[in-house]
Amino acid sequence: MRNIILLVLSISLSCQAQTKPKPDLKYTPIEIFYEGNLPFRKKSSHFTIMNYTLVNPLIARQFYDKSQEEFSTLNTTISFPRDACQSIIENYISKKTDSNYSGMFYNPFSNQKLVGAKLSEGIYSISFDNKQIYYRCVCIPSNYLSLKKDYKENLSEFNLPGGYVLDAKEMNKLVIRRLDSLDLNEIPFYNIYPFDISPSFDCSQAKSLSEKVLCRNADLSKLDRELIDIYNKLILLKGEKLRIDQRIWIKNREKAIEKKSYIESIELLRELYVKRIQELKLIK
């Protein structure tokens, strides 16, 4: 009887553990600056946590004068839901560049216009004082960081270029994850949002361009899993013919995004996956 009670208790605890909701993951916006020439001959680099002052320098002082307590809370918040983190980055970049990203950058602290260029999605270069500076902004899982307890005291306020520059130890952790890469083909996409992206394949083995895009977009990765789940059930019934059709579809998928931008690739892949899933669902 005692063994039966222990068994029931064990099963109950196991079920509770499985049904317990996972905590929402938080992300921290990071701005990465490098000075030097490509490829990767960097004279210096800075990894800066993006806070309110850095993203909204023109209104930070006004907010500070209105309520120092509220401003302090807002200014020291560095962890956000993934979509909110991405919005912070997009808002920041939109303020630093013209609407078409055609090559004009602005220094919000001096209102100075700088000549720049968009190298690829999320990666920019700026000419400044006869130097070439490269930068990109990314959202990383907040638990990648193990910041010092007093880091909040070092978050700049209204009269400084905001943010918190990571120390060498923290920067090295992110460099190891290749977050300092300037080439999209060199970035292991699976390291950007490794916790909520899990397509049907191992992203650490991603080789084709479409696989790398899938490994950087949570919605696409879900579509990929859905498609493969349906395919795996059908292959038992349809055999080699379906296998051949799927290989043709994959080849066409790769051709569809050749020479396309990252944003264009996302939209094209979404359309292709939705259409393919619908086609497979109609097979009987």
Side-chain angles (χ1 to χ4, degrees):
M1 184 65 181
R2 182 173 177 274
N3 290 336
I4 294 175
I5 294 174
L6 290 175
L7 177 61
V8 172
L9 180 61
S10 175
I11 294 174
S12 175
L13 291 174
S14 176
C15 291
Q16 289 179 20
Q18 291 177 9
T19 58
K20 184 179 180 181
K22 295 181 180 179
D24 292 334
L25 290 165
K26 299 292 185 179
Y27 295 85
T28 298
I30 300 287
E31 180 182 44
I32 306 174
F33 265 92
Y34 344 27
E35 177 188 335
N37 298 314
L38 292 174
F40 314 120
R41 296 292 183 180
K42 301 189 253 320
K43 296 179 182 177
S44 62
S45 61
H46 300 278
F47 288 53
T48 305
I49 291 177
M50 299 168 67
N51 68 331
Y52 186 80
T53 301
L54 182 64
V55 178
N56 303 284
L58 296 180
I59 61 175
R61 178 60 197 242
Q62 297 175 9
F63 192 15
Y64 177 85
D65 290 339
K66 183 179 180 181
S67 174
Q68 294 184 18
E69 184 177 351
E70 289 183 19
F71 174 82
S72 178
T73 299
L74 184 63
N75 200 48
T76 55
T77 300
I78 63 169
S79 295
F80 307 89
R82 184 165 67 99
D83 290 344
C85 182
Q86 192 62 37
S87 294
I88 289 171
I89 285 177
E90 292 172 358
N91 177 47
Y92 178 65
I93 291 176
S94 69
K95 290 179 179 179
K96 294 192 69 164
T97 65
D98 62 6
S99 59
N100 296 318
Y101 299 100
S102 60
M104 188 61 69
F105 288 74
Y106 303 94
N107 184 334
F109 301 99
S110 64
N111 203 28
Q112 181 181 9
K113 293 183 178 181
L114 307 171
V115 177
K118 182 177 181 179
L119 303 180
S120 56
E121 194 62 40
I123 301 176
Y124 303 83
S125 70
I126 305 173
S127 299
F128 180 70
D129 288 345
N130 296 321
K131 299 176 182 178
Q132 200 68 24
I133 297 175
Y134 303 91
Y135 87 93
R136 63 187 292 252
C137 300
V138 296
C139 288
I140 65 169
S142 299
N143 57 8
Y144 275 12
L145 302 170
S146 53
L147 302 175
K148 297 177 182 178
K149 292 182 179 180
D150 62 347
Y151 79 91
K152 291 185 178 181
E153 298 175 7
N154 295 315
L155 282 165
S156 302
E157 292 186 355
F158 49 84
N159 60 343
L160 295 172
Y164 173 72
V165 179
L166 300 180
D167 60 25
K169 180 180 178 181
E170 289 296 319
M171 282 197 297
N172 286 338
K173 284 166 56 179
L174 299 184
V175 169
I176 289 173
R177 295 180 182 275
R178 298 300 300 279
L179 290 182
D180 65 331
S181 172
L182 284 173
D183 185 344
L184 278 179
N185 291 321
E186 293 297 325
I187 300 171
F189 289 75
Y190 59 93
N191 274 337
I192 304 299
Y193 302 120
F195 299 102
D196 57 357
I197 289 185
S198 55
S200 64
F201 54 91
D202 182 358
C203 278
S204 66
Q205 304 298 318
K207 295 180 180 179
S208 71
L209 182 57
S210 61
E211 288 177 340
K212 291 179 179 180
V213 175
L214 287 168
C215 287
R216 199 177 181 182
N217 186 284
D219 293 333
L220 288 180
S221 72
K222 291 178 182 177
L223 287 174
D224 183 71
R225 285 201 314 274
E226 182 181 353
L227 187 151
I228 294 303
D229 286 344
I230 298 172
Y231 171 81
N232 286 337
K233 293 176 182 177
L234 286 173
I235 196 68
L236 298 175
L237 300 173
K238 300 301 178 180
E240 189 62 22
K241 184 180 185 304
L242 181 59
R243 198 187 311 277
I244 293 173
D245 288 345
Q246 186 67 9
R247 288 173 181 169
I248 294 173
W249 181 83
I250 291 174
K251 288 183 179 180
N252 291 334
R253 180 191 69 181
E254 298 303 323
K255 290 180 180 179
I257 62 171
E258 284 181 357
K259 299 180 181 180
K260 300 295 183 181
S261 70
Y262 174 63
I263 299 300
E264 290 173 334
S265 297
I266 290 176
E267 294 307 314
L268 283 170
L269 287 174
R270 182 179 288 113
E271 292 176 8
L272 288 172
Y273 268 87
V274 170
K275 183 177 179 181
R276 182 59 174 166
I277 288 171
Q278 291 174 345
E279 289 175 353
L280 293 180
K281 285 182 176 179
L282 292 175
I283 295 177
K284 297 181 181 180

